[in-house]
Amino acid sequence: MAQLWGGRFTGSINELAWNFNASISFDKRFLEQDVRGSKAHATMLAKQNIISEEEKKLITEGLDSILEDVKSGKLEITSKYEDIHSFLEANLIDRVGDAGKKVHTGRSRNDQVALDMRLYARGEVEHMADLLNNMLETLLDIMKANTETYMPGFTHLQKAQPVTLAHHVGAYFEMFKRDLLRMKDIRERMNYCPLGAGALAGTTYPLDRDYTAQLLDFYGPTLNSMDSVSDRDYLIEFLAALSTVMMHLSRFSEEIIIWNSNEYRFVDIDDAYSTGSSIMPQKKNPDIAELVRGKTGRVYGDLMSLLTTMKGIPLAYNKDMQEDKEAAFDAIDTASNCLTLFTDMLRTLKFNKENMEKSAMMGFTNATDAADYLVVKGMPFRDAHSVIGRLVLYCIDKKCAIDDLKIDELKSFSELFDEDIYDAISLETCVNKRLTVGAPSPVVMKKVIDANEAFLKEFKL
């Protein structure tokens, strides 16, 4: 058993306790971060004359060779090591001798793992931002192509008013745009280096923490050594943001599932993102959308697990905090896979525009516009609302739309109706005359599309 402690102990640890305590099975994904952090630490130690330049060279070359051998398969990370840190240091000592024993000078596993997790999370935040950017570009392409694709807008899952597909998809653009901006905020707050904080109280060695932070592309060092080793706020923020991403994906998945149903037939999902039934040959199921919807709860659970782990921990580091890794890894992997697959599915989705338009023409989505027509003619809105309500009841009884009624029938409800009512409540007019900022008319949507395009072009993490 390879470990970084033991001098104070006379007996050996129970095997079950060793396995329970070890983290090598999951923190091995920190190998590259641990190598990078160790090289930066050694470079700083040499700059401060704590180790020699020759020792620094041996350490950095040894670390690079270990990383290369693991990647090529020559060296295996096994369970005989307690964690990735003991694996790396033990193999370094085997390769470079006493110089390897100096790499941990002025450093603790506490600030070492804090650094590894921060480096890893920072990279994943950047990766998530790339995935969100891809999603936004896909949504924008759909918006550009569908400013005049009419469909019903819903409230309470009931047809409400006509909109366009560009407008509907634009709502999701706003959601994922906020998700992207959250990644930027998280990166800003997390981008400070904990290395050099030691176990909790710094060190007596003359470390240059600013230099270490610079080598690792941080804005600077963290300013309290106790907080440095016990802070997981940035990870909680990240998982909370991922939970929001998943909530947005789940809402969109629910709509795709509904739109894909026989009753709606708004979309056709590509075969690459569907499966069939083992017994019903006619079935084509939206399994990817359903799984994304289902996996949302999994990411929520990871967030709650981390929050629960952290809520009772006194300063500074405690072993409970080892539990942050598996929850974080699972949430990151799950959200990344869901976002990638959903974006690919969306990119290949076929929209049945004719069905969407037919659906928008049914369900009295133009009732509000009919009421507005009477208001323009001089009737108070509340009275107009009542007239159109009675008119809708009449149409339901006749099993027809408002547009299907003859002018004499309309006039029986109000003499204010005239031949121009048919144009006023047409699908095109209902959408096109909505010209306020954020409304669905093609004129407004084109301005929004231009603004969204500029945002994506100018955005930097």
Side-chain angles (χ1 to χ4, degrees):
M1 295 180 181
Q3 58 200 38
L4 300 179
W5 51 273
R8 179 249 186 269
F9 291 77
T10 57
S12 59
I13 190 170
N14 173 275
E15 184 177 353
L16 180 60
W18 168 269
N19 293 331
F20 189 69
N21 181 69
S23 59
I24 190 69
S25 63
F26 48 85
D27 70 12
K28 61 185 178 182
R29 78 163 71 188
F30 283 160
L31 177 63
E32 291 191 29
Q33 288 78 17
D34 213 55
V35 167
R36 186 181 178 192
S38 296
K39 287 170 66 177
H41 187 63
T43 301
M44 180 276 297
L45 291 176
K47 173 182 173 291
Q48 298 300 100
N49 296 315
I50 298 170
I51 63 174
S52 69
E53 283 293 330
E54 180 59 29
E55 287 170 327
K56 180 202 84 170
K57 183 181 177 184
L58 285 170
I59 289 169
T60 55
E61 288 177 353
L63 290 168
D64 284 337
S65 71
I66 292 169
L67 180 60
E68 184 180 336
D69 286 352
V70 171
K71 285 184 174 181
S72 69
K74 290 181 182 178
L75 179 63
E76 184 182 0
I77 302 174
T78 69
S79 59
K80 80 172 186 176
Y81 301 96
E82 181 182 2
D83 52 33
I84 193 63
H85 321 299
S86 56
F87 164 81
L88 198 60
E89 188 169 327
N91 279 277
L92 182 65
I93 292 168
D94 285 345
R95 295 186 182 209
V96 304
D98 285 346
K101 297 177 181 178
K102 295 186 177 183
V103 71
H104 208 56
T105 306
R107 183 176 72 171
S108 164
R109 272 194 303 180
N110 293 358
D111 60 340
Q112 189 177 0
V113 71
L115 172 69
D116 287 359
M117 179 56 93
R118 205 170 282 237
L119 286 172
Y120 178 82
R122 185 178 68 181
E124 292 301 322
V125 166
E126 292 166 356
H127 176 59
M128 201 62 61
D130 288 340
L131 295 180
L132 286 165
N133 195 76
N134 290 340
M135 167 65 86
L136 290 171
E137 288 178 351
T138 300
L139 293 173
L140 192 60
D141 287 342
I142 295 172
M143 291 169 70
K144 287 178 182 178
N146 291 282
T147 58
E148 296 183 27
T149 301
Y150 302 110
M151 66 175 291
F154 296 83
T155 63
H156 310 280
L157 266 183
Q158 297 181 66
K159 293 176 186 177
Q161 293 177 306
V163 294
T164 65
L165 180 58
H167 190 243
H168 194 112
V169 168
Y172 285 102
F173 187 99
E174 296 300 320
M175 295 180 209
F176 291 113
K177 177 182 175 183
R178 291 192 294 270
D179 290 329
L180 181 59
L181 291 170
R182 270 186 279 273
M183 296 303 155
K184 184 179 179 71
D185 292 341
I186 292 166
R187 192 186 187 285
E188 284 294 304
R189 273 188 294 279
M190 74 184 296
N191 200 34
Y192 292 87
C193 183
L195 194 58
L200 79 159
T203 178
T204 57
Y205 292 100
L207 306 184
D208 186 343
R209 293 194 62 211
D210 288 287
Y211 181 62
T212 305
Q214 179 185 335
L215 290 173
L216 294 169
D217 298 320
F218 288 105
Y219 296 145
T222 51
L223 298 181
N224 183 284
S225 56
M226 294 182 78
D227 181 62
S228 300
V229 297
S230 62
D231 168 39
R232 295 297 183 272
D233 287 3
Y234 65 92
L235 209 52
I236 291 170
E237 280 191 68
F238 189 22
L239 265 60
L242 292 182
S243 295
T244 305
V245 169
M246 290 300 298
M247 179 266 290
H248 292 153
L249 284 173
S250 185
R251 292 184 71 182
F252 209 165
S253 292
E254 175 71 7
E255 299 214 84
I256 297 297
I257 292 163
I258 291 171
W259 292 353
N260 183 67
S261 67
N262 293 332
E263 286 71 21
Y264 280 79
R265 292 183 295 164
F266 283 5
V267 298
D268 288 322
I269 300 174
D270 192 89
D271 287 355
Y273 303 98
S274 303
T275 64
S277 166
S278 64
I279 189 172
M280 296 170 284
Q282 82 280 13
K283 294 293 293 297
K284 184 178 179 183
N285 301 323
D287 282 11
I288 297 302
E290 289 175 353
L291 280 169
V292 169
R293 185 177 60 182
K295 287 179 182 291
T296 299
R298 179 172 177 157
V299 176
Y300 289 1
D302 291 327
L303 171 61
M304 292 311 300
S305 175
L306 182 54
L307 282 167
T308 305
T309 295
M310 294 301 298
K311 77 174 182 63
I313 298 180
L315 289 173
Y317 181 83
N318 293 264
K319 192 70 172 184
D320 316 41
M321 295 171 69
Q322 181 169 288
E323 290 299 301
D324 66 344
K325 295 171 190 61
E326 288 178 288
F329 296 159
D330 183 68
I332 291 166
D333 291 347
T334 301
S336 176
N337 289 337
C338 287
L339 197 49
T340 300
L341 275 168
F342 191 91
T343 302
D344 290 344
M345 179 185 70
L346 198 59
R347 195 174 288 122
T348 59
L349 205 63
K350 292 180 180 177
F351 295 96
N352 299 323
K353 300 181 182 182
E354 186 177 341
N355 288 349
M356 288 180 157
E357 185 168 337
K358 283 181 181 178
S359 182
M361 294 173 71
M362 300 166 61
F364 307 104
T365 61
N366 56 1
T368 302
D369 297 271
D372 289 341
Y373 170 88
L374 294 176
V375 170
V376 171
K377 296 284 186 175
M379 183 181 291
F381 177 77
R382 192 50 57 200
D383 293 339
H385 187 284
S386 179
V387 168
I388 300 304
R390 294 195 303 273
L391 185 58
V392 167
L393 276 175
Y394 177 77
C395 290
I396 290 171
D397 187 56
K398 289 197 67 174
K399 295 181 173 58
C400 68
I402 297 174
D403 319 54
D404 297 329
L405 297 177
K406 295 178 180 179
I407 191 64
D408 290 342
E409 289 178 286
L410 291 169
K411 280 185 177 291
S412 69
F413 288 88
S414 172
E415 284 296 327
L416 294 177
F417 283 117
D418 211 336
E419 292 290 344
D420 59 350
I421 179 62
Y422 299 107
D423 179 64
I425 63 174
S426 72
L427 207 55
E428 292 83 355
T429 303
C430 289
V431 171
N432 293 353
K433 72 182 181 182
R434 285 179 157 75
L435 296 168
T436 53
V437 175
S441 73
V443 172
V444 174
M445 283 307 306
K446 284 171 184 173
K447 291 179 182 177
V448 170
I449 287 168
D450 288 344
N452 289 342
E453 204 159 30
F455 168 79
L456 290 178
K457 188 175 181 180
E458 296 166 8
F459 180 82
K460 291 182 181 178
L461 193 62

